[in-house]
Amino acid sequence: MPEVPMNPVITLNAGGACARLVPHAGGRVSALRLVGGNGEAVDVLHPYPEDFFDPIHWAKGGIYPLMPYSNRIANALLHVNDETHVLRPHPNAMPHTLHGNAHAQSWQATQQGPDTATLALDSPAGPAWPWHYTASLRFELTPSQLRVGLTLCNADQRTMPAGMGLHPYFRHDPAARLTYGATTLWPATQDYLPGAPRALLANEQYETPRCLPDGGMTDYVGGWDGTAIVDLPQGSQLSMRADPVFGHLVVHRPDTPLYLCLEPVSHVADGFNLATHGVANTGTHLLEPGDSMNGEIRFNLA
């Protein structure tokens, strides 16, 4: 698919803080600068290029929404309500799907102020997702914090499986310490599907700050307490706090540690199929026609 030229970037400002939103590029945040208690402005995100957008082979940076589900659906076959839906697999995750389709579409700004904005998406049923849904992203910037509110609504005439989250790429130093609380690990397979859930081992827990293991890694954790704190390369700390609907966290770092992804999500990867097979605590939701789910995630410079 060809790269798509960009439409104007929306810039939010608040006392030295700045957030840049690119609605046409899947409702992405391309850059985020927050101000700490010492008055120093800190760039939080690994940058996302604003001059082009490839909805299939997207650039790794910024923040993008995960809707109407996150991560993978195994073999692009969705089993729900005694039906099997054949989805369109993603070329970079064959034979599975990847991260829904909200971030591959153009969003529209429905409200914009100096430090607030709302983006909306109306997504018709199609090969990537056989249900019609609508979604919104609400941004509110203060000098030290970006608040992002997410809403996902079933606009179809049938019950829709639903999930949501955010996919941020944080600036990263391999020596950075990470802190979060969780109860469960879903070990990631070689093709990034979750294995059988189990309790976290002592060396897999991050209630006290510690570094990640060397090299690339992917952890799917459940029972997340909704808070994660990470060191930034500039010596600052970023805290991410999420509403209870986001009970799962994906911790991902590539083999070349240019960035760190801490993804607050409502469900584990392939959660719909796991739930259909009786696996508990997947975090998946079913929305009746007209129903919605929502939650807020806050990024704060500590």
Side-chain angles (χ1 to χ4, degrees):
M1 185 175 294
E3 295 172 352
V4 179
M6 291 291 88
N7 64 346
V9 174
I10 294 174
T11 303
L12 306 182
N13 292 286
C18 176
R20 294 176 63 82
L21 315 179
V22 193
H24 190 73
R28 276 169 168 79
V29 180
S30 61
L32 175 61
R33 178 175 295 173
L34 297 173
V35 179
N38 60 0
E40 180 181 0
V42 176
D43 290 316
V44 170
L45 300 175
H46 187 71
Y48 174 86
E50 298 174 353
D51 54 346
F52 70 92
F53 172 52
D54 187 327
I56 300 298
H57 308 290
W58 57 84
K60 308 299 185 182
I63 304 173
Y64 64 82
L66 299 170
M67 295 175 174
Y69 64 90
S70 76
N71 218 290
R72 286 154 177 78
I73 295 177
N75 301 307
L77 296 175
L78 175 57
H79 307 287
V80 63
N81 285 346
D82 298 322
E83 295 181 348
T84 298
H85 301 271
V86 180
L87 308 180
R88 182 172 59 202
H90 193 280
N92 294 340
M94 295 291 288
H96 316 303
T97 69
L98 184 62
H99 290 328
N101 65 343
H103 68 95
Q105 302 183 66
S106 178
W107 293 58
Q108 303 299 316
T110 59
Q111 179 273 326
Q112 182 179 348
D115 54 9
T116 63
T118 301
L119 307 183
L121 175 67
D122 189 334
S123 181
W129 192 247
W131 290 271
H132 178 199
Y133 71 89
T134 60
S136 69
L137 296 168
R138 302 175 305 283
F139 300 92
E140 180 181 346
L141 183 68
T142 67
S144 63
Q145 183 182 80
L146 177 67
R147 304 168 70 102
V148 186
L150 297 82
T151 299
L152 174 64
C153 179
N154 179 7
D156 210 277
Q157 300 302 310
R158 302 168 294 162
T159 302
M160 183 183 81
M164 62 183 188
L166 290 179
H167 196 310
Y169 295 78
F170 295 116
R171 292 167 61 88
H172 183 58
D173 184 303
R177 297 170 305 159
L178 176 63
T179 311
Y180 66 83
T183 62
T184 306
L185 179 71
W186 306 70
T189 66
Q190 187 173 3
D191 56 350
Y192 299 102
L193 293 174
R198 60 169 175 78
L200 288 161
L201 303 177
N203 65 349
E204 296 167 335
Q205 298 177 15
Y206 288 83
E207 279 84 358
T208 56
R210 68 184 186 90
C211 298
L212 292 167
D214 293 337
M217 52 85 63
T218 299
D219 279 351
Y220 300 145
V221 296
W224 179 44
D225 64 8
T227 298
I229 302 173
V230 63
D231 294 341
L232 295 177
Q234 302 91 329
S236 301
Q237 282 189 329
L238 182 86
S239 70
M240 181 176 68
R241 302 181 188 276
D243 285 351
V245 67
F246 304 103
H248 290 255
L249 182 70
V250 179
V251 182
H252 171 74
R253 183 172 67 186
D255 293 335
T256 302
L258 296 176
Y259 52 78
L260 175 65
C261 297
L262 301 174
E263 306 162 36
V265 293
S266 59
H267 64 86
V268 71
D270 200 34
F272 305 123
N273 288 332
L274 294 175
T276 294
H277 288 94
V279 179
N281 302 317
T282 60
T284 51
H285 290 70
L286 293 175
L287 296 181
E288 297 302 320
D291 286 351
S292 61
M293 60 186 297
N294 58 78
E296 185 179 82
I297 299 165
R298 298 164 291 281
F299 303 94
N300 191 88
L301 198 62

